[in-house]
Amino acid sequence: MTPADAMIARLDEAARAADLREEAFRKEVAETTARLATERAIAYRRLNFLRALVARVTGAETPEAAVAAAQAHVRERFDWQSESEARTQVLERLTPLALALFGAAHPAEDGASPVEADPATEMGAFEAWYEQTRASSFWQLFDYYMPETPRVDY
């Protein structure tokens, strides 16, 4: 091998190594971008879901009405027009969250909450339960497009 051939071989090896480093970097960037996009989507879904629940629960007069309002919101949000065991479990598991939100929105005159639960803790417990029992995130329910059905009066 001549000195010129050796130099070309070293340059070829350096070029291939640079190509591998760039490919690894692009893969890492794509994975990080996808992870961050998922985190962002979940954060906004959580925000919007809880914002809507707070709006519903705040208008309730009693803890029972708050639970009914929260459950009605979930049924409407996911277009659950029929009952199933899985849906009933989800609605029942949201009860502590609805009560905690009601307590936070309706403090007693002495400043104490009628329900001593923290809404963030209850939301976390619900999310953990859902993930454990369904082997998926609750927030994946929001991935399914629900086409709007036109309402026609005859």
Side-chain angles (χ1 to χ4, degrees), residues 11-64:
L11 292 174
D12 183 57
E13 186 178 317
R16 290 176 194 264
D19 190 38
L20 291 174
R21 286 192 308 273
E22 179 188 10
E23 186 178 314
F25 176 74
R26 288 181 184 273
K27 181 180 177 184
E28 180 183 341
V29 166
E31 289 170 354
T32 301
T33 301
R35 181 181 49 78
L36 293 174
T38 299
E39 288 176 14
R40 176 192 41 79
I42 288 171
Y44 275 101
R45 288 171 181 175
R46 185 180 291 118
L47 168 66
N48 293 329
F49 180 73
L50 287 172
R51 182 180 283 156
L53 281 184
V54 166
R56 292 280 188 108
V57 167
T58 300
E61 297 291 325
T62 65
E64 295 78 17

Side-chain angles (χ1 to χ4, degrees), residues 35-115:
R35 181 181 49 78
L36 293 174
T38 299
E39 288 176 14
R40 176 192 41 79
I42 288 171
Y44 275 101
R45 288 171 181 175
R46 185 180 291 118
L47 168 66
N48 293 329
F49 180 73
L50 287 172
R51 182 180 283 156
L53 281 184
V54 166
R56 292 280 188 108
V57 167
T58 300
E61 297 291 325
T62 65
E64 295 78 17
V67 169
Q71 290 177 346
H73 170 71
V74 172
R75 282 187 185 100
E76 290 168 16
R77 174 62 184 87
F78 298 118
D79 196 29
W80 289 353
Q81 296 178 8
S82 62
E83 295 294 321
S84 73
E85 184 178 338
R87 290 175 180 176
T88 300
Q89 287 176 348
V90 168
L91 295 173
E92 287 173 356
R93 284 298 196 143
L94 280 171
T95 297
L97 174 61
L99 293 173
L101 291 171
F102 179 81
H106 297 87
E109 288 187 24
D110 63 1
S113 171
V115 180

Side-chain angles (χ1 to χ4, degrees), residues 122-151:
E122 294 302 332
M123 186 69 229
F126 172 78
E127 289 175 290
W129 167 82
Y130 191 94
E131 193 161 330
Q132 183 179 36
T133 59
R134 303 294 191 272
S136 68
S137 170
F138 172 70
W139 307 110
Q140 285 180 329
L141 288 176
F142 292 76
D143 286 339
Y144 299 105
Y145 173 72
M146 297 299 295
E148 292 205 21
T149 306
R151 296 180 185 206

